[in-house]
PDB file of all heavy atoms in Angstrom:
ATOM      1  N   LEU A  45      88.684   2.014 -35.825  1.00 98.00           N
ATOM      2  CA  LEU A  45      89.214   2.958 -36.820  1.00 98.00           C
ATOM      3  C   LEU A  45      90.731   3.080 -36.703  1.00 98.00           C
ATOM      4  O   LEU A  45      91.440   3.154 -37.716  1.00 98.00           O
ATOM      5  CB  LEU A  45      88.555   4.326 -36.647  1.00 98.00           C
ATOM      6  CG  LEU A  45      87.053   4.410 -36.940  1.00 98.00           C
ATOM      7  CD1 LEU A  45      86.524   5.806 -36.617  1.00 98.00           C
ATOM      8  CD2 LEU A  45      86.757   4.057 -38.390  1.00 98.00           C
ATOM      9  N   ASP A  46      91.212   3.095 -35.486  1.00 97.00           N
ATOM     10  CA  ASP A  46      92.661   3.189 -35.267  1.00 97.00           C
ATOM     11  C   ASP A  46      93.380   1.950 -35.794  1.00 97.00           C
ATOM     12  O   ASP A  46      94.457   2.052 -36.406  1.00 97.00           O
ATOM     13  CB  ASP A  46      92.937   3.359 -33.769  1.00 97.00           C
ATOM     14  CG  ASP A  46      94.415   3.561 -33.483  1.00 97.00           C
ATOM     15  OD1 ASP A  46      94.995   4.543 -33.983  1.00 97.00           O
ATOM     16  OD2 ASP A  46      95.002   2.725 -32.767  1.00 97.00           O
ATOM     17  N   ALA A  47      92.780   0.773 -35.597  1.00 97.00           N
ATOM     18  CA  ALA A  47      93.384  -0.466 -36.098  1.00 97.00           C
ATOM     19  C   ALA A  47      93.450  -0.461 -37.622  1.00 97.00           C
ATOM     20  O   ALA A  47      94.469  -0.854 -38.221  1.00 97.00           O
ATOM     21  CB  ALA A  47      92.590  -1.666 -35.602  1.00 97.00           C
ATOM     22  N   LEU A  48      92.388  -0.020 -38.257  1.00 97.00           N
ATOM     23  CA  LEU A  48      92.374   0.060 -39.726  1.00 97.00           C
ATOM     24  C   LEU A  48      93.425   1.041 -40.237  1.00 97.00           C
ATOM     25  O   LEU A  48      94.056   0.813 -41.270  1.00 97.00           O
ATOM     26  CB  LEU A  48      90.986   0.473 -40.221  1.00 97.00           C
ATOM     27  CG  LEU A  48      89.872  -0.560 -40.043  1.00 97.00           C
ATOM     28  CD1 LEU A  48      88.506   0.059 -40.331  1.00 97.00           C
ATOM     29  CD2 LEU A  48      90.096  -1.754 -40.966  1.00 97.00           C
ATOM     30  N   HIS A  49      93.620   2.119 -39.509  1.00 96.00           N
ATOM     31  CA  HIS A  49      94.634   3.096 -39.915  1.00 96.00           C
ATOM     32  C   HIS A  49      96.033   2.524 -39.761  1.00 96.00           C
ATOM     33  O   HIS A  49      96.913   2.740 -40.598  1.00 96.00           O
ATOM     34  CB  HIS A  49      94.483   4.380 -39.095  1.00 96.00           C
ATOM     35  CG  HIS A  49      95.264   5.533 -39.643  1.00 96.00           C
ATOM     36  ND1 HIS A  49      96.563   5.799 -39.260  1.00 96.00           N
ATOM     37  CD2 HIS A  49      94.958   6.471 -40.575  1.00 96.00           C
ATOM     38  CE1 HIS A  49      97.008   6.848 -39.907  1.00 96.00           C
ATOM     39  NE2 HIS A  49      96.057   7.289 -40.715  1.00 96.00           N
ATOM     40  N   LYS A  50      96.255   1.775 -38.699  1.00 95.00           N
ATOM     41  CA  LYS A  50      97.574   1.177 -38.490  1.00 95.00           C
ATOM     42  C   LYS A  50      97.879   0.100 -39.540  1.00 95.00           C
ATOM     43  O   LYS A  50      99.012  -0.013 -40.007  1.00 95.00           O
ATOM     44  CB  LYS A  50      97.661   0.579 -37.085  1.00 95.00           C
ATOM     45  CG  LYS A  50      97.875   1.595 -35.970  1.00 95.00           C
ATOM     46  CD  LYS A  50      98.121   0.887 -34.647  1.00 95.00           C
ATOM     47  CE  LYS A  50      98.634   1.861 -33.587  1.00 95.00           C
ATOM     48  NZ  LYS A  50      97.591   2.770 -33.108  1.00 95.00           N
ATOM     49  N   ASP A  51      96.867  -0.687 -39.907  1.00 95.00           N
ATOM     50  CA  ASP A  51      97.090  -1.761 -40.866  1.00 95.00           C
ATOM     51  C   ASP A  51      97.204  -1.259 -42.303  1.00 95.00           C
ATOM     52  O   ASP A  51      98.055  -1.728 -43.065  1.00 95.00           O
ATOM     53  CB  ASP A  51      95.949  -2.784 -40.791  1.00 95.00           C
ATOM     54  CG  ASP A  51      96.105  -3.743 -39.621  1.00 95.00           C
ATOM     55  OD1 ASP A  51      97.255  -3.981 -39.206  1.00 95.00           O
ATOM     56  OD2 ASP A  51      95.076  -4.247 -39.123  1.00 95.00           O
ATOM     57  N   LEU A  52      96.334  -0.320 -42.686  1.00 94.00           N
ATOM     58  CA  LEU A  52      96.244   0.093 -44.091  1.00 94.00           C
ATOM     59  C   LEU A  52      96.283   1.603 -44.299  1.00 94.00           C
ATOM     60  O   LEU A  52      96.177   2.067 -45.426  1.00 94.00           O
ATOM     61  CB  LEU A  52      94.942  -0.451 -44.703  1.00 94.00           C
ATOM     62  CG  LEU A  52      94.901  -1.956 -44.924  1.00 94.00           C
ATOM     63  CD1 LEU A  52      93.455  -2.451 -44.974  1.00 94.00           C
ATOM     64  CD2 LEU A  52      95.616  -2.335 -46.209  1.00 94.00           C
ATOM     65  N   ARG A  53      96.412   2.340 -43.221  1.00 95.00           N
ATOM     66  CA  ARG A  53      96.301   3.800 -43.230  1.00 95.00           C
ATOM     67  C   ARG A  53      95.013   4.247 -43.909  1.00 95.00           C
ATOM     68  O   ARG A  53      94.996   5.194 -44.695  1.00 95.00           O
ATOM     69  CB  ARG A  53      97.512   4.469 -43.869  1.00 95.00           C
ATOM     70  CG  ARG A  53      97.932   5.732 -43.120  1.00 95.00           C
ATOM     71  CD  ARG A  53      98.843   6.633 -43.902  1.00 95.00           C
ATOM     72  NE  ARG A  53      98.122   7.454 -44.877  1.00 95.00           N
ATOM     73  CZ  ARG A  53      98.651   8.501 -45.506  1.00 95.00           C
ATOM     74  NH1 ARG A  53      99.896   8.845 -45.264  1.00 95.00           N
ATOM     75  NH2 ARG A  53      97.958   9.177 -46.378  1.00 95.00           N
ATOM     76  N   LYS A  54      93.945   3.561 -43.603  1.00 96.00           N
ATOM     77  CA  LYS A  54      92.658   3.911 -44.200  1.00 96.00           C
ATOM     78  C   LYS A  54      92.186   5.258 -43.669  1.00 96.00           C
ATOM     79  O   LYS A  54      92.195   5.499 -42.455  1.00 96.00           O
ATOM     80  CB  LYS A  54      91.597   2.851 -43.858  1.00 96.00           C
ATOM     81  CG  LYS A  54      91.673   1.601 -44.701  1.00 96.00           C
ATOM     82  CD  LYS A  54      90.367   0.818 -44.634  1.00 96.00           C
ATOM     83  CE  LYS A  54      90.457  -0.443 -45.463  1.00 96.00           C
ATOM     84  NZ  LYS A  54      89.158  -1.105 -45.623  1.00 96.00           N
ATOM     85  N   PRO A  55      91.723   6.140 -44.557  1.00 96.00           N
ATOM     86  CA  PRO A  55      91.101   7.376 -44.100  1.00 96.00           C
ATOM     87  C   PRO A  55      89.856   7.085 -43.265  1.00 96.00           C
ATOM     88  O   PRO A  55      89.158   6.094 -43.507  1.00 96.00           O
ATOM     89  CB  PRO A  55      90.735   8.092 -45.408  1.00 96.00           C
ATOM     90  CG  PRO A  55      91.615   7.482 -46.439  1.00 96.00           C
ATOM     91  CD  PRO A  55      91.818   6.062 -46.022  1.00 96.00           C
ATOM     92  N   LYS A  56      89.578   7.957 -42.316  1.00 97.00           N
ATOM     93  CA  LYS A  56      88.470   7.732 -41.400  1.00 97.00           C
ATOM     94  C   LYS A  56      87.151   7.580 -42.141  1.00 97.00           C
ATOM     95  O   LYS A  56      86.346   6.681 -41.834  1.00 97.00           O
ATOM     96  CB  LYS A  56      88.382   8.882 -40.392  1.00 97.00           C
ATOM     97  CG  LYS A  56      87.275   8.729 -39.352  1.00 97.00           C
ATOM     98  CD  LYS A  56      87.293   9.871 -38.361  1.00 97.00           C
ATOM     99  CE  LYS A  56      86.187   9.721 -37.320  1.00 97.00           C
ATOM    100  NZ  LYS A  56      86.202  10.837 -36.326  1.00 97.00           N
ATOM    101  N   LEU A  57      86.899   8.447 -43.122  1.00 97.00           N
ATOM    102  CA  LEU A  57      85.627   8.388 -43.840  1.00 97.00           C
ATOM    103  C   LEU A  57      85.486   7.051 -44.566  1.00 97.00           C
ATOM    104  O   LEU A  57      84.417   6.437 -44.542  1.00 97.00           O
ATOM    105  CB  LEU A  57      85.507   9.541 -44.835  1.00 97.00           C
ATOM    106  CG  LEU A  57      84.147   9.685 -45.522  1.00 97.00           C
ATOM    107  CD1 LEU A  57      83.807  11.154 -45.743  1.00 97.00           C
ATOM    108  CD2 LEU A  57      84.086   8.945 -46.856  1.00 97.00           C
TER     109      LEU A  57
END
Side-chain angles (χ1 to χ4, degrees):
L45 294 176
D46 184 60
L48 291 170
H49 193 270
K50 283 187 168 73
D51 281 332
L52 289 157
R53 220 197 79 167
K54 281 198 181 190
K56 182 178 180 179
L57 187 144

